[in-house]
């Protein structure tokens, strides 16, 4: 027979579970208005937290596809962007919150990659641009010699995308992808057409620039986090494995001595940041513990 104390315990547990369900099913605006969420964004954005929260709500209200996603996944994706100090305003193109079924996911824009690269203070030049019909004179993928005449444009039709960077120590890299190569890559790796449908050129430039930086660029701890979180493409698993096997901030290229490339020495505090899934689990746990 159940004792009086055990019955009280069960009732208390049932009441707690009811509160958990209620908290987990909050609409996005109410969820962002909870003390827990306000505190988290204040820790990340300081005085800019209210403005950032407002931008999340505006984005959510303007995208019907995001409104079909679980509010907690939208907030978690926004937290990743806030951690990187990147706006989620879709008109700026630094970072996106992309719907995948009923879940939202953080995705970095090509402008976000450039911004994070510039923050490392190791790049003299970095850019990515569409190449139009008539502009490409020559491209040698082995020597990476490229000749472009932007004055020779024959039409507005885009035939490919070129990305380039030069470090302060003089190391430079160029890559060029045809539009067909980008499309093949999209079909193979993209899990959603959301970004491609909204701005195909921006997604194509992001894809080419990401390929260049992840293989040849200097990746600060901040950019490593961005690359890992920006997991729209399955190939990121390779980058993750590299970073877990002694990777220290730069990807060594053939013919280039790693010591010749300046890099930030990781400190004990600069561990691999938590993934979006870990952050989501942490937030959910706080709800479970009734910390709202």
């Amino acid at each position: 027979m159940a004792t009086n104390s055990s019955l009280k315990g069960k009732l208390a547990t049932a009441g707690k579970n009811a509160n958990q369900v209620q908290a987990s099913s909050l609409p996005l605006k109410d969820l962002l208005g909870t003390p827990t969420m306000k505190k988290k964004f204040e820790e990340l954005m300081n005085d800019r937290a209210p403005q950032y929260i407002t931008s999340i709500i505006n984005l959510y209200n303007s995208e019907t596809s995001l409104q079909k996603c679980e509010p907690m996944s939208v907030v978690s994706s926004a937290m990743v962007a806030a951690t990187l100090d990147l706006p989620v305003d879709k008109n700026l193109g630094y970072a996106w919150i992309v719907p995948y079924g009923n879940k939202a996911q953080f995705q970095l824009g090509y402008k976000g990659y450039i911004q994070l690269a510039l923050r490392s203070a190791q790049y003299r030049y970095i850019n990515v641009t569409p190449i139009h019909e008539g502009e490409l004179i020559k491209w040698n993928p082995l020597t990476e010699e490229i000749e472009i005449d932007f004055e020779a444009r024959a039409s507005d039709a885009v035939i490919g995308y070129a990305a380039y960077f030069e470090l302060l120590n003089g190391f430079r890299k160029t890559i060029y992808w045809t539009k067909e190569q980008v499309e093949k890559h999209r079909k193979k790796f993209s899990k959603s057409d959301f970004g491609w449908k909204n701005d195909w050129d921006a997604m194509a430039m992001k894809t080419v620039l990401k390929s260049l930086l992840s293989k040849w660029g200097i990746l600060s701890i901040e950019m490593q986090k961005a690359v890992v979180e920006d997991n729209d493409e399955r190939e990121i698993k390779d980058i993750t494995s590299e970073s877990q096997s002694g990777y220290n901030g730069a990807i060594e290229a053939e013919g280039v001595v790693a010591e010749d490339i300046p890099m930030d020495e990781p400190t004990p505090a600069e561990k691999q940041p938590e993934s979006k899934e870990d952050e989501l689990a942490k937030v959910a746990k706080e709800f479970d513990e009734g910390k709202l």
Side-chain angles (χ1 to χ4, degrees):
M1 179 180 293
T3 65
N4 188 39
S5 60
S6 65
L7 286 173
K8 286 182 178 179
K10 290 181 179 179
L11 289 172
T13 301
K16 182 180 179 182
N17 290 337
N19 289 333
Q20 291 172 9
V21 172
Q22 184 178 4
S24 301
S25 60
L26 286 174
L28 181 87
K29 187 174 182 180
D30 294 340
L31 185 60
L32 288 170
T34 60
T36 298
M37 291 304 173
K38 285 183 176 180
K39 181 180 178 181
K40 282 185 173 294
F41 280 101
E42 286 170 358
E43 290 172 352
L44 294 171
M45 308 300 294
N46 298 318
D47 295 339
R48 293 176 293 148
Q51 181 182 357
Y52 201 88
I53 289 175
T54 299
S55 71
I56 299 170
I57 295 173
N58 290 340
L59 174 67
Y60 183 80
N61 290 338
S62 67
E63 292 287 350
T64 55
S65 53
L66 273 183
Q67 294 167 19
K68 299 176 183 178
C69 297
E70 295 177 3
M72 184 67 79
S73 69
V74 176
V75 174
S76 179
S77 301
M79 281 184 181
V80 175
T83 301
L84 298 171
D85 196 12
L86 293 173
V88 293
D89 188 332
K90 61 183 180 180
N91 296 316
L92 298 177
Y94 286 96
W96 302 74
I97 299 178
V98 180
Y100 291 91
N102 66 339
K103 299 280 187 179
Q105 182 174 294
F106 167 84
Q107 192 173 97
L108 198 61
Y110 81 91
K111 292 181 181 178
Y113 271 103
I114 292 176
Q115 180 64 225
L116 294 180
L118 292 176
R119 290 180 193 173
S120 72
Q122 300 292 347
Y123 292 82
R124 178 176 285 115
Y125 304 110
I126 181 170
N127 200 9
V128 59
T129 183
I131 305 300
H132 298 85
E133 186 179 19
E135 293 178 341
L136 182 65
I137 308 302
K138 181 179 67 175
W139 162 245
N140 187 326
L142 181 61
T143 63
E144 297 176 336
E145 292 179 281
I146 190 168
E147 185 177 348
I148 302 171
D149 184 357
F150 290 105
E151 301 298 325
R153 180 186 299 188
S155 73
D156 290 334
V158 175
I159 62 171
Y161 301 85
Y164 168 85
F165 74 74
E166 180 180 336
L167 300 179
L168 294 179
N169 68 352
F171 178 74
R172 63 183 69 181
K173 275 291 173 182
T174 303
I175 63 171
Y176 172 75
W177 285 24
T178 65
K179 193 169 184 177
E180 289 72 22
Q181 285 176 294
V182 174
E183 177 63 14
K184 182 178 179 181
H185 185 93
R186 182 192 70 81
K187 289 181 178 179
K188 184 176 182 180
F189 294 108
S190 180
K191 296 181 292 182
S192 169
D193 285 334
F194 180 81
W196 295 93
K197 180 176 61 177
N198 290 339
D199 195 335
W200 205 97
D201 275 344
M203 289 297 294
M205 287 190 286
K206 172 264 187 81
T207 299
V208 176
L209 183 63
K210 176 182 175 182
S211 175
L212 175 67
L213 291 175
S214 63
K215 291 178 182 178
W216 301 102
I218 292 179
L219 302 185
S220 63
I221 298 299
E222 188 180 41
M223 184 171 283
Q224 288 181 47
K225 175 181 174 61
V227 171
V228 172
E229 294 289 355
D230 181 34
N231 57 358
D232 178 54
E233 300 165 7
R234 300 296 186 183
E235 65 180 5
I236 286 181
K237 293 180 179 179
D238 297 332
I239 299 171
T240 306
S241 62
E242 287 173 359
S243 65
Q244 291 173 342
S245 58
Y247 176 69
N248 62 354
I251 299 178
E252 186 174 348
E254 293 183 13
V256 179
V257 181
E259 287 78 3
D260 293 338
I261 303 178
M263 64 185 71
D264 298 327
E265 291 294 332
T267 64
E270 291 179 326
K271 297 179 181 179
Q272 278 289 348
E274 294 180 336
S275 68
K276 181 163 72 68
E277 288 75 16
D278 291 338
E279 177 67 22
L280 179 59
K282 183 186 294 184
V283 175
K285 182 180 179 181
E286 292 186 4
F287 277 118
D288 293 341
E289 293 174 351
K291 293 183 179 180
L292 274 176

